[in-house]
Amino acid sequence: MLDLNWLNTFVTLAHLEHFGKTAAALHMTQPNVSLHIKQLEQTTRVKLIERSPFRLTQAGERLLLSAQRSLQELQVCQADLNAINDMSQGTVSIAASDIISRLLLIKPFQSFKHEFPGIDLSLFNTTSTQAAELVKSAKADLGFVIAQKESQPLHFTELRQVRWCALGDGLEKWQRLAKQNKEPEKGEEPTLILLGHDTRTRDLIDMALPSLKLPKYRIMEVGSVDAQIDWAEAGFGIAIVPAFSLHPKLNLKSTITPLPGFPTTSLGYIVRQNQVLSRAIKQLLQWVSEEIANSPHN
């Protein structure tokens, strides 16, 4: 019989390809990692890994596929059992970007903490794409994302439409130059501060940039909406950001220009299809909906 702890150690080792890193990730000693692999190989009666250099054998590759599926199914099952049991203790894990969590989730989280003191909230600050992967694998119970497409095995529920704004001074000046068929001096082109190419929103923005009708421009890539706002406020260019991210409490000094020509997208939450939602998660979603309804730029 294969022990689940052995399989979890094997899967982690297969991903990290290092015994020491695996021990640290699983809060184990390195000898115990080696023992788990030895016990797994003895039980299956096949060699699963080559140690120097590290690689999986053909048998190891086959076991990895089954072990990943089995562990994920068990994790999903445990999450649903917790919801059915309407747990009053434990952890609810949420995946969301930093800007979504700071502007839309703080008050709902405060209400949750008061109403469900026995349940811990665990927050993964991540991109929408990574949030989807965390929910798929049941490592997160709930994800808040932008520009999610309905796809197996996830179900997306829209909470609000997202419109776009330009934050930064000088946009009208550059657009006026373009109307006059003038180009800026070399080295004086406007700089657009955008998210990196590994985000869904960047794909939407790239398609809409021609609607700005700018002359030549440069692009500065950053890793988060927060960074876009900070760099634009520091005078390094014009950030293209979701309108809801420009909250009055940020006390912004730069010019904010609505961009009605940009296509709208959706902000919402994702769960696994057929996922059982606990009373605690349903109540959290209600508080988030209320916070969104009361927020600026709704």
Side-chain angles (χ1 to χ4, degrees):
M1 188 73 177
L2 299 183
D3 187 285
L4 290 177
N5 290 321
W6 302 347
L7 289 175
N8 188 49
T9 301
F10 171 70
V11 169
T12 306
L13 178 62
H15 289 157
L16 297 179
E17 299 185 348
H18 191 280
F19 281 82
K21 291 178 181 178
T22 300
L26 297 177
H27 306 289
M28 297 169 59
T29 64
Q30 192 165 324
N32 272 344
V33 173
S34 297
L35 178 61
H36 279 193
I37 301 304
K38 180 180 179 181
Q39 290 169 320
L40 193 56
E41 289 184 324
Q42 288 176 340
T43 302
T44 57
R45 298 194 294 274
V46 292
K47 190 172 185 178
L48 299 172
I49 65 169
E50 299 287 355
R51 284 168 170 75
S52 188
F54 182 93
R55 70 174 183 86
L56 295 182
T57 63
Q58 184 178 3
E61 294 280 2
R62 177 64 184 83
L63 178 61
L64 179 61
L65 292 175
S66 294
Q68 287 174 318
R69 285 197 298 267
S70 298
L71 291 171
Q72 182 170 330
E73 282 297 318
L74 286 170
Q75 193 162 8
V76 168
C77 180
Q78 184 63 63
D80 284 344
L81 291 176
N82 289 341
I84 292 170
N85 193 41
D86 204 13
M87 66 178 187
S88 59
Q89 293 185 328
T91 300
V92 170
S93 298
I94 311 295
S97 69
D98 189 63
I99 199 72
I100 292 175
S101 60
R102 286 198 299 107
L103 295 183
L104 300 179
L105 301 185
I106 289 178
K107 285 185 179 179
F109 276 22
Q110 288 173 327
S111 299
F112 187 97
K113 184 178 179 182
H114 181 266
E115 183 75 15
F116 303 99
I119 302 178
D120 293 326
L121 277 172
S122 176
L123 178 64
F124 295 102
N125 263 335
T126 184
T127 66
S128 291
T129 300
Q130 292 167 334
E133 292 303 316
L134 288 168
V135 173
K136 280 181 186 178
S137 64
K139 292 178 181 176
D141 301 294
L142 185 65
F144 292 94
V145 298
I146 292 177
Q148 173 70 36
K149 295 179 180 178
E150 190 75 22
S151 62
Q152 293 279 0
L154 298 176
H155 176 69
F156 173 73
T157 300
E158 182 184 282
L159 292 171
R160 72 180 295 173
Q161 285 285 299
V162 176
R163 293 175 174 81
W164 302 93
C165 285
L167 173 68
D169 301 326
L171 179 60
E172 289 185 359
K173 169 191 168 184
W174 300 119
Q175 290 176 325
R176 195 162 52 247
L177 275 178
K179 283 184 180 180
Q180 298 169 355
N181 293 319
K182 294 180 181 179
E183 291 192 358
E185 297 291 333
K186 188 174 181 180
E188 294 185 4
E189 301 92 344
T191 298
L192 299 182
I193 305 171
L194 307 178
L195 290 175
H197 277 95
D198 59 342
T199 60
R200 292 189 186 128
T201 52
R202 176 61 185 275
D203 293 336
L204 293 171
I205 290 170
D206 280 346
M207 290 188 293
L209 286 180
S211 70
L212 292 178
K213 297 179 180 177
L214 287 172
K216 295 178 181 178
Y217 56 82
R218 292 170 291 183
I219 290 179
M220 174 181 179
E221 291 190 351
V222 296
S224 69
V225 175
D226 305 273
Q228 285 181 275
I229 293 171
D230 289 343
W231 284 105
E233 279 285 272
F236 283 87
I238 300 163
I240 309 298
V241 295
F244 77 84
S245 67
L246 303 182
H247 198 283
K249 68 183 179 182
L250 296 176
N251 298 314
L252 300 171
K253 298 179 177 61
S254 302
T255 303
I256 299 173
T257 306
L259 300 174
F262 273 50
T264 58
T265 186
S266 299
L267 165 65
Y269 68 86
I270 49 173
V271 294
R272 297 181 305 282
Q273 290 184 0
N274 302 316
Q275 179 179 340
V276 180
L277 299 183
S278 66
R279 182 174 70 88
I281 288 181
K282 289 178 181 177
Q283 182 59 69
L284 176 63
L285 288 171
Q286 179 61 38
W287 284 321
V288 172
S289 296
E290 292 170 1
E291 179 69 11
I292 287 174
N294 295 328
S295 66
H297 307 294
N298 188 37

